[in-house]
Amino acid sequence: MSAHPPHKPNVLELFLAALGSPFVIVGEQFREIFKVFGLTVQYALHGRRRWKEVWLQAYRIGNESLVFIVCVAGSLGVTLVYQAGLQAERIIGDLTPLGGLYLQILLREFGPTITALMISTRVGTGIAAEIGSMVVTEQVDALQMSGAHPVEYLVVPRFWASVVMVFCLTCVSVLVSWLAGLLTALLAFGVSPYTFATLSFVIPGDVILLLMKTTAYGIAIPIVAGASGLSAHGGSEGVGWATTQSVVNCSLAVLFLDVLLSGFGYLVLLR
Amino acid sequence: MSAASKQVTHVEVPRDGVRIRCQGVSKYYRRTAVLDAVDLEVRDGTMLGLIGPGAAGKSLLVKIICGLVAPDEGHVFIDDIDVTRLRERELQALRMRLGMVFQNYALFDFMNVGENIALPLRMEGRSSETSIRNRVAEVLEQVALPGIQDKMPRELSGGMKKRVSFVRAVVRRPPIVIYDDPTGGLDPVTSAKIFRLLSDMKAQGTTSITISHDLDGIRPLCDQWLLIEHGKTLFSGDTSAIDQCETPYVRQFWRGEPA
Ligand SMILES: Nc1ncnc2c1ncn2[C@@H]1O[C@H](COP(=O)(O)OP(=O)(O)O)[C@@H](O)[C@H]1O
Ligand SMILES: [Mg+2]
C-alpha cells in the first residue's frame, strides 16, 4: 500500500503539532466550533425557517431541565443565603442588606452562569449524543443526500430554542433561588420578607449583564455541543467521546464567556 | 442563484454519455491509502457493479462520488461537473439528481416512515403538501408496503427498512442512483424483490452503481464491473471481459471459488 501525507500542513498546524498532540486536538476542536458557529449564523439568518421544530426543541429543553434547575437553584439559594447570613451576622451584625445584595449577585453571576452550566450538562450532552449517533449511523449523510445541510437542519432549530430557553430557564432559576433565599433568611435569621425583598442594590447594568450572559450562553451551548456531535466518528464509542467532549467544551465555553462578559460588565456597565 | 449553481441544477447528459466519472481518486487514513487511484466511468442508462471483499473501500468510493467525503487526490465528475470543486450550496443542488441507498439503511430514527420519504421532496421545495403525501403513498405501494407511513423505522424488519431506504432514495426520480449493498442481510425472497426494483429502475433509464456481494443477483443487471480490493482496482470492464479474465483472484471472486 502506498503511503502519502494527505495534505501539506499549514504554519498554524505545524506550530500546534510542535507543542504536542493535546494542542492539535484543541486546535481542531476550535476550528470545528468556529466553522459550526459561522454556518449556524449564516443558516439562522438566511436558511429555511422551521418554527415548529424550534418550538419542539424548546419544549424538550424545558422539559428535560426544569426540575433539575429548580432543585439545584433551590438548594443553592438555601446554602448561599445561610452562609452569607452567618458571615454578615458575625462581621457587620446587620442583616438588612442581605436580600438586596443576594439578588444582585444572582442577577449578575449565579443565575445565568449556574443555569447555563446545568443546561450544558443536561441539554448539551443530549444534543451531542443525538447528532453524534446520527453521524455514526450515516443519518447525517442521508440528510445531505436529501438536500439538507446538517447544520441548518439539526443545529439551527436547537440554536433558536436554546437562545430563548436559556433566558427563560435563567429567569426561573433566579426566581427559585431568590424565593429559597427569602425563606432561609426568614426561618434561619428572622429577616422579614419585606426587608429581604428589596431592589435597592439592583441597577439597570445588572439586568443588561444578565441578558448579555444568557444570550451568549444560549448561543454557545448548542453550537459547541453540535460541533462535538458532528465530529463524532467510528461507532458507538465515537458517540460517547462526542458526549464527554461536549460537557467539557460547553462548560469551558460558559466559564470563559462568564469571565469575558463579567470583565466587560465591571469595566463598562457597573461602574 | 449564482452562475455556478445554475449550471449545477441544469441537467444535461454529457455528449460522450458518461454520467459518472472518477479519475485517480485516492483517499488516505493515517497515511495508508484506503482508495488508491481508482478510475471509473458509468454511461447513461447503464449499471456498474462495484464488487470486492469487505473493507475494500466500496462504500467510501460511492460517498466520494456523492461529495459526502472529499478525496485526497483525483476528481469526480457527475454530468461533467467536478464534484470535488463544488461549494456546499452547489453540492446540495447537484444532489437533487442523485439518490443513494445506504448500506445500513440510515433511516432517520426520529421520523416516521412517511416523513423519512417526504424529506427529499420537501428539500426540493417544488411540491405541495398534498402532492408530497400522494407521492409517498404511491412509492410505498410500488414496493408493496402500502399504508406504513406512520410506523417508526425501529418497528420495521430489515427487508422493510431496505425498501423504505430504497424509496427514499428514488422518490425524487433522480436520474442517477447508487445502491450500497441493497440486499445485504436479506432472505432470498426479499432480495429477489429488491433486484426486481433495481431492474425496473434500470428499465426506466436510471444510471446506477450497485455494490453487492450477491453476484448471482446483480450479474444480469450490470453492464460494467469494477472489482477493488484494499482500494486498488483489480478489474474494470464489461461482463464478457470479466468472464474471460484470467487473473486468479478475479476468477475466484467472480466464480465464487474458494482460494
Ligand atoms: N471515516 C473513516 N475513518 C477511517 N477509516 C475509514 C473511514 N471510512 C472508511 N474507512 C476505512 O476505509 C476502508 C474501506 O471502508 P468501506 O468503504 O466501508 O469498505 P467496504 O464498503 O468496501 O466494505 C476500511 O478499512 C475502513 O476502515
Ligand atoms: Mg460497505
Side-chain angles (χ1 to χ4, degrees):
Chain A
M1 229 179 262
S2 57
H4 250 284
H7 74 138
K8 283 209 175 64
N10 62 30
V11 180
L12 181 66
E13 283 166 332
L14 284 173
F15 176 71
L16 290 172
L19 290 174
S21 66
F23 290 90
V24 178
I25 295 172
V26 170
E28 267 167 23
Q29 290 185 2
F30 259 102
R31 199 170 57 187
E32 185 67 20
I33 289 169
F34 280 106
K35 198 177 111 199
V36 174
F37 176 69
L39 286 168
T40 305
V41 171
Q42 188 188 324
Y43 283 117
L45 297 178
H46 302 297
R48 294 183 182 86
R49 300 284 146 86
R50 290 162 55 230
W51 295 121
K52 212 177 121 195
E53 178 69 14
V54 173
W55 168 247
L56 201 75
Q57 293 295 337
Y59 175 78
R60 281 183 55 190
I61 294 176
N63 207 18
E64 275 171 3
S65 45
L66 189 63
V67 176
F68 180 43
I69 283 175
V70 166
C71 293
V72 175
S75 26
L76 193 78
V78 173
T79 47
L80 267 180
V81 169
Y82 187 69
Q83 284 301 322
L86 285 182
Q87 309 266 344
E89 245 181 359
R90 209 176 302 148
I91 300 165
I92 49 175
D94 175 19
L95 288 176
T96 37
L98 186 63
L101 285 171
Y102 175 60
L103 181 60
Q104 187 186 54
I105 200 170
L106 269 186
L107 292 176
R108 281 185 188 178
E109 201 52 61
F110 288 119
T113 306
I114 300 281
T115 310
L117 285 174
M118 288 189 284
I119 293 177
S120 297
T121 55
R122 192 72 184 86
V123 177
T125 47
I127 294 177
E130 225 169 48
I131 296 182
S133 67
M134 286 185 69
V135 171
V136 303
T137 57
E138 296 180 321
Q139 289 178 59
V140 167
D141 289 331
L143 205 55
Q144 284 175 286
M145 288 309 292
S146 302
H149 193 286
V151 169
E152 176 178 24
Y153 202 83
L154 298 172
V155 181
V156 169
R158 288 166 173 83
F159 164 82
W160 287 121
S162 157
V163 169
V164 175
M165 290 311 287
V166 169
F167 173 74
C168 296
L169 289 167
T170 299
C171 294
V172 172
S173 154
V174 167
L175 190 72
V176 171
S177 300
W178 184 77
L179 285 173
L182 181 137
L183 280 176
T184 310
L186 175 66
L187 298 176
F189 306 105
V191 178
S192 121
Y194 296 105
T195 322
F196 192 89
T198 168
L199 290 176
S200 54
F201 288 95
V202 177
I203 57 169
D206 291 319
V207 179
I208 296 174
L209 190 57
L210 176 131
L211 282 173
M212 282 169 52
K213 283 187 177 178
T214 51
T215 312
Y217 302 154
I219 291 171
I221 291 169
I223 285 171
V224 174
S228 302
L230 286 172
S231 51
H233 44 73
S236 38
E237 80 279 2
V239 182
W241 179 89
T243 314
T244 313
Q245 214 45 242
S246 160
V247 193
V248 174
N249 289 355
C250 283
S251 311
L252 286 176
V254 166
L255 293 173
F256 173 74
L257 287 169
D258 183 32
V259 171
L260 203 74
L261 289 171
S262 296
F264 171 80
Y266 289 113
L267 290 176
V268 179
L269 289 173
L270 307 174
R271 303 190 132 221
Chain B
M1 210 186 265
S2 71
S5 21
K6 238 182 223 144
Q7 188 212 338
V8 168
T9 38
H10 183 69
V11 183
E12 196 177 274
V13 180
R15 246 185 235 134
D16 59 3
V18 178
R19 302 206 71 168
I20 309 173
R21 172 182 278 130
C22 294
Q23 285 177 346
V25 168
S26 298
K27 182 77 189 176
Y28 305 89
Y29 284 116
R30 296 175 198 279
R31 299 189 171 217
T32 24
V34 285
L35 282 178
D36 193 359
V38 176
D39 297 318
L40 69 76
E41 279 186 3
V42 188
R43 296 181 161 275
D44 188 37
T46 66
M47 184 184 281
L48 174 90
L50 178 52
I51 54 179
K58 307 180 294 293
S59 298
L60 184 61
L61 181 61
V62 293
K63 280 188 191 170
I64 289 176
I65 290 173
C66 298
L68 293 169
V69 176
D72 292 315
E73 284 158 15
H75 293 276
V76 174
F77 298 91
I78 303 248
D79 296 340
D80 279 344
I81 299 165
D82 189 345
V83 175
T84 53
R85 297 237 169 115
L86 296 184
R87 280 172 292 145
E88 194 56 45
R89 285 278 184 200
E90 295 156 2
L91 265 179
Q92 279 180 353
L94 180 81
R95 287 189 189 124
M96 291 296 152
R97 71 179 97 153
L98 290 176
M100 169 123 149
V101 179
F102 287 85
Q103 188 167 14
N104 304 309
Y105 324 111
L107 295 176
F108 307 121
D109 52 18
F110 55 98
M111 289 181 183
N112 65 26
V113 169
E115 287 164 356
N116 259 282
I117 301 169
L119 188 76
L121 295 171
R122 296 226 165 89
M123 287 296 142
E124 194 184 31
R126 274 202 226 145
S127 335
S128 67
E129 272 307 304
T130 335
S131 68
I132 288 177
R133 218 170 307 128
N134 293 339
R135 174 81 180 133
V136 170
E138 178 195 332
V139 289
L140 277 174
E141 222 147 279
Q142 282 168 8
V143 295
L145 293 172
I148 63 158
Q149 283 91 329
D150 294 330
K151 283 210 182 344
M152 295 304 278
R154 61 178 169 273
E155 299 172 62
L156 307 180
S157 70
M160 290 162 94
K161 279 189 205 167
K162 279 282 185 195
R163 279 181 280 169
V164 171
S165 175
F166 172 86
V167 291
R168 184 181 64 184
V170 303
V171 69
R172 279 194 299 233
R173 300 186 177 88
I176 301 170
V177 187
I178 288 162
Y179 309 100
D180 190 348
D181 207 5
T183 59
L186 299 185
D187 63 87
V189 178
T190 318
S191 296
K193 280 185 201 156
I194 300 238
F195 285 129
R196 168 71 54 82
L197 292 171
L198 262 55
S199 155
D200 289 348
M201 289 298 294
K202 195 182 168 194
Q204 288 163 27
T206 318
T207 308
S208 50
I209 296 179
T210 306
I211 298 175
S212 184
H213 294 296
D214 188 347
L215 291 182
D216 293 331
I218 54 169
R219 215 171 257 133
L221 291 172
C222 295
D223 309 282
Q224 296 284 320
W225 300 89
L226 179 66
L227 171 57
I228 59 175
E229 192 203 13
H230 288 312
K232 283 198 207 314
T233 304
L234 295 188
F235 176 85
S236 171
D238 62 17
T239 311
S240 62
I242 197 168
D243 269 334
Q244 286 154 21
C245 183
E246 289 304 324
T247 318
Y249 186 83
V250 177
R251 278 182 60 136
Q252 268 170 26
F253 198 92
W254 182 245
R255 305 197 181 148
E257 294 161 358

